[in-house]
Amino acid sequence: LPSVRTMLRMFLLLNAPDHPRLRRAVAPLFTPAAVSARRELIESEVERLLHGRTELDVVRDLAYPLPLNLICRWLGVRRGDEPRIEAWGRVLLANLDGPVPLSPRDALRYSAAVARRRSRPLATVLAIRALGAYARNLLRRDGDAEFLVVLRAAVTDGTMSEDEAVATWALLVIAGHETTANLIGNTLHLLLAHPEQLADVQDDGALVGDAIEESLRFESPVPMGVRVASEPVSVAGHDLSAGDPVFVVIASANRDPAVFSDPDRFDVTRDATPNIAFGHGGHVCVGAQLARTEASAAVAAIVVRHPVRNGRPPRWRPTFATRSLEALPVRLRSSAG
């Protein structure tokens, strides 16, 4: 299908020379300076979402709407269309939990998953078509949304085709909110589960960034990825042939005892910066700095309001492709503004 072929042009799925070419086109949007310039807007959106609240579900009321509203604004999404974008994105992300059909045996497992409605190929195709059509319409119209302007200019100067711009738009809108939402929810859950460390962060706001890094390490928002060996290689005594699929378990690497002492202990005072939650090498997440900034703003704002659990336990989503909460209800002891 043409719409599916278009989405396969996401640079996340490509290697050189296409990956670096497409990545370079959007990289200026995610430099430290560019992200720093957005910090005031990010903090303002956090305050808007929290204003007047004494109770909230962190996931529903803050972690998801914050990055979703911001990335949609920067990508030119029409006000009020954010729920549609989120719904299409969730359909696409749900496929990550189904069997990956890389072999005849996997194809049989995939068929069984479809029969049990664990995988929904028709809904996926419809979501891809709708998301692609929405992006293409925006790219062809006038509009001064920051990210949209950059993508439109890249098409005009020949850096990327229109299909590549559509795929890049879709990648940015999906990746630009889902993993950041997971990071916000996971970090606040971990702090609430470790009240002595929550108190330390409340006493020293500089520890917010350390808490974010330790959360990335301890509860990686994307715990695994899939790669394909490009040539024969031996890894930890296992021989791989060219074309063999490889499941890279990021969550395991982030708890490697050879890198982190006592790795199964959550500790906001440790140096967790060697973690690979955002990937590594040429495919490291281009939006990592933006995600950290949005998460830091959200966590800092909640922490100063002295959150406590409201009695209901957090609920984790039944998924292995992402590490994410379904709900995290809290009460706020004090309200700022």
Side-chain angles (χ1 to χ4, degrees):
L1 295 174
S3 55
V4 175
R5 286 197 298 271
T6 295
M7 289 303 172
L8 290 176
R9 297 302 298 169
M10 290 182 180
F11 64 78
L12 177 71
L13 306 175
L14 304 174
N15 288 317
D18 293 326
H19 175 270
R21 170 175 57 84
L22 299 174
R23 183 187 176 99
R24 280 195 299 269
V26 297
L29 294 168
F30 300 101
T31 63
V35 173
S36 178
R38 300 186 196 108
R39 182 159 195 116
E40 185 176 346
L41 175 61
I42 293 168
E43 292 174 344
S44 174
E45 181 66 9
V46 170
E47 291 304 317
R48 187 187 72 80
L49 291 168
L50 292 179
H51 181 71
R53 290 186 176 274
T54 57
E55 294 193 10
L56 75 155
D57 178 341
V58 166
V59 175
R60 181 194 64 211
D61 300 323
L62 178 64
Y64 267 92
L66 172 66
L68 178 65
N69 292 350
L70 290 170
I71 196 66
C72 283
R73 173 173 177 167
W74 295 325
L75 281 166
V77 172
R78 293 180 290 272
R79 185 63 62 88
D81 282 352
E82 294 89 351
R84 297 169 64 194
I85 300 297
E86 182 180 12
W88 294 331
R90 287 208 174 218
V91 170
L92 299 184
L93 287 168
N95 284 274
L96 299 177
D97 284 314
V100 181
L102 298 173
S103 70
R105 182 178 179 180
D106 292 332
L108 291 174
R109 292 173 58 236
Y110 182 75
S111 298
V114 171
R116 294 194 298 270
R117 295 187 63 79
R118 286 181 53 220
S119 293
R120 301 166 57 203
L122 178 57
T124 300
V125 170
L126 292 176
I128 288 173
R129 182 179 296 170
L131 193 62
Y134 191 99
R136 199 177 300 276
N137 182 52
L138 287 181
L139 287 163
R140 289 177 175 177
R141 294 172 54 198
D142 291 333
D144 59 357
E146 183 180 5
F147 289 21
L148 198 61
V149 168
V150 170
L151 290 174
R152 195 181 292 121
V155 173
T156 300
D157 67 21
T159 300
M160 61 174 66
S161 68
E162 185 179 74
D163 280 355
E164 289 170 334
V166 167
T168 302
W169 187 99
L171 173 61
L172 294 178
V173 78
I174 295 171
H177 78 272
E178 176 69 26
T179 53
T180 304
N182 298 346
L183 175 57
I184 294 169
N186 295 356
T187 303
L188 288 167
H189 160 66
L190 288 167
L191 288 173
L192 287 165
H194 299 82
E196 72 291 347
Q197 297 195 52
L198 172 59
D200 289 342
V201 176
Q202 287 169 334
D203 290 340
D204 182 2
L207 285 175
V208 168
D210 297 311
I212 295 294
E213 289 304 315
E214 177 66 346
S215 174
L216 285 166
R217 183 195 72 82
F218 194 84
E219 293 287 13
S220 307
V222 179
M224 61 160 291
V226 182
R227 295 291 185 266
V228 177
S230 58
E231 59 185 44
V233 64
S234 180
V235 179
H238 297 277
D239 295 329
L240 301 173
S241 301
D244 283 349
V246 180
F247 287 82
V248 182
V249 186
I250 295 170
S252 179
N254 281 341
R255 296 200 186 190
D256 184 348
V259 179
F260 303 101
S261 62
D262 197 4
D264 293 329
R265 177 172 57 88
F266 178 74
D267 180 5
V268 299
T269 66
R270 81 162 77 235
D271 180 6
T273 52
N275 76 77
I276 59 167
F278 286 112
H280 181 69
H283 277 269
V284 68
C285 177
V286 71
Q289 183 63 31
L290 179 60
R292 286 184 169 101
T293 300
E294 291 178 347
S296 294
V299 170
I302 287 284
V303 163
V304 300
R305 287 166 166 82
H306 297 273
V308 292
R309 293 199 189 281
N310 71 358
R312 288 178 290 162
R315 298 198 310 272
W316 292 97
R317 290 165 62 185
T319 168
F320 70 86
T322 60
R323 181 62 169 163
S324 53
L325 289 160
E326 285 187 340
L328 179 62
V330 302
R331 293 195 311 272
L332 303 177
R333 289 176 180 164
S334 62
S335 178

